[in-house]
Amino acid sequence: MKPDLSVVIPAYQQSDSLADSIRSVLDQAEVDLELIISDHASTDGTEEIARKFESDPRVRIMRIGAGGGAAANWTAVTDEARGEFLKLLPGDDTVTPGSLARQLALLRAHPDAALVGGRRRIIDATGRTISKRRGLQGLEAEMTGGSAVRASVRSGTNPFGEPGAVMMRRGAFTAAGGWQGDWSYAIDVATYYAVLQHGSFVRDDDVASTFRISGGQWSVALVDQQADEMSRLFAEAGRMFREVSPDDVARGVRRARALARQRRIVYRVLGMVKR
């Protein structure tokens, strides 16, 4: 029997946080799920942490060799998924209690929906809360795929959420060609855009996940690179969706640059900037 939901965790050098990520999934009630964990040639004991949960019949562990970056591990672990619905959870993030059943119910109640996005709690490497309820800016309760992408472009950011806050219909994900590995920083948002070519969007108003920001993600240079890639993605969205106008793209690019400047200031105030 195929499970309703496949949760996949692509892990790399996350022995300190992986157990919490796994427990956050396995502790969910009233969800028929499988959990697949793929270790990407870690050397810090990540695989050994995952193996501690192998006695649970819902859990499968795999390991892939080095190389290919995050996209290789995301693709490899997702290829093993069998469920009708799919969620990717990074190995240093968690899902909140009840979020899996809630998002499943939303997708089932909206059979044309390809993707549901939720709010997330942002934490730093120590677990300190930076933002309690982030996300979904500009997104209505239900939207066509093109309208949702337009809202994202105009926001200059990713209102859908990091992968742990998002659940997708696997048929739409497959039709979209899977993870859009040509994008590095924007692989998640680029994939959402591709998936939303095959269905509509529905909003999960509650906090669906925690997202941990590591020290490397606070780099000033990285902030600028992310803004550059998002700007290119917005231009691509203008070619993909008739709803996204050149004015929308221009607004999104300006907004992405402004947000990058704001993040640099915040990161310096928090003392976590790497130059």
Side-chain angles (χ1 to χ4, degrees), residues 24-191:
S24 76
V25 175
L26 298 180
D27 287 347
Q28 302 270 326
E30 300 178 357
V31 182
D32 175 28
L33 63 83
E34 65 176 357
L35 175 59
I36 310 168
I37 305 152
S38 175
D39 176 52
H40 197 176
S42 298
T43 57
D44 69 339
T46 292
E47 182 181 7
E48 289 74 13
I49 295 295
R51 295 286 178 194
K52 294 179 180 180
F53 295 87
E54 259 188 319
S55 59
D56 190 310
R58 298 170 293 177
V59 174
R60 284 188 282 153
I61 312 295
M62 55 185 286
R63 181 178 173 89
I64 69 168
N73 203 14
W74 286 30
T75 298
V77 70
T78 304
D79 284 347
E80 296 298 314
R82 301 174 298 162
E84 180 182 358
F85 303 97
L86 171 70
K87 180 184 286 282
L88 183 143
L89 179 66
D92 52 359
D93 298 340
T94 63
V95 287
T96 57
S99 64
L100 300 185
R102 186 176 65 248
Q103 292 192 335
L104 272 174
L106 283 166
L107 287 172
R108 285 185 170 136
H110 300 84
D112 293 331
L115 183 149
V116 56
R119 301 188 190 276
R120 60 270 199 205
R121 181 169 66 95
I122 312 298
I123 62 175
D124 66 14
T126 69
R128 177 181 56 167
T129 297
I130 298 169
S131 176
K132 292 182 178 180
R133 291 174 60 87
R134 184 174 178 182
L136 304 182
Q137 53 270 49
L139 296 173
E140 300 172 7
E142 301 174 44
M143 304 180 78
T144 65
S147 296
V149 170
R150 179 175 184 262
S152 170
V153 170
R154 287 173 63 84
S155 75
T157 186
N158 169 20
F160 304 106
E162 291 75 25
V166 170
M167 188 180 292
M168 295 177 282
R169 202 175 296 273
R170 192 162 64 95
F173 174 83
T174 300
W179 297 108
Q180 305 295 296
D182 290 340
W183 301 87
S184 52
Y185 307 118
I187 182 174
D188 51 356
V189 189
T191 300

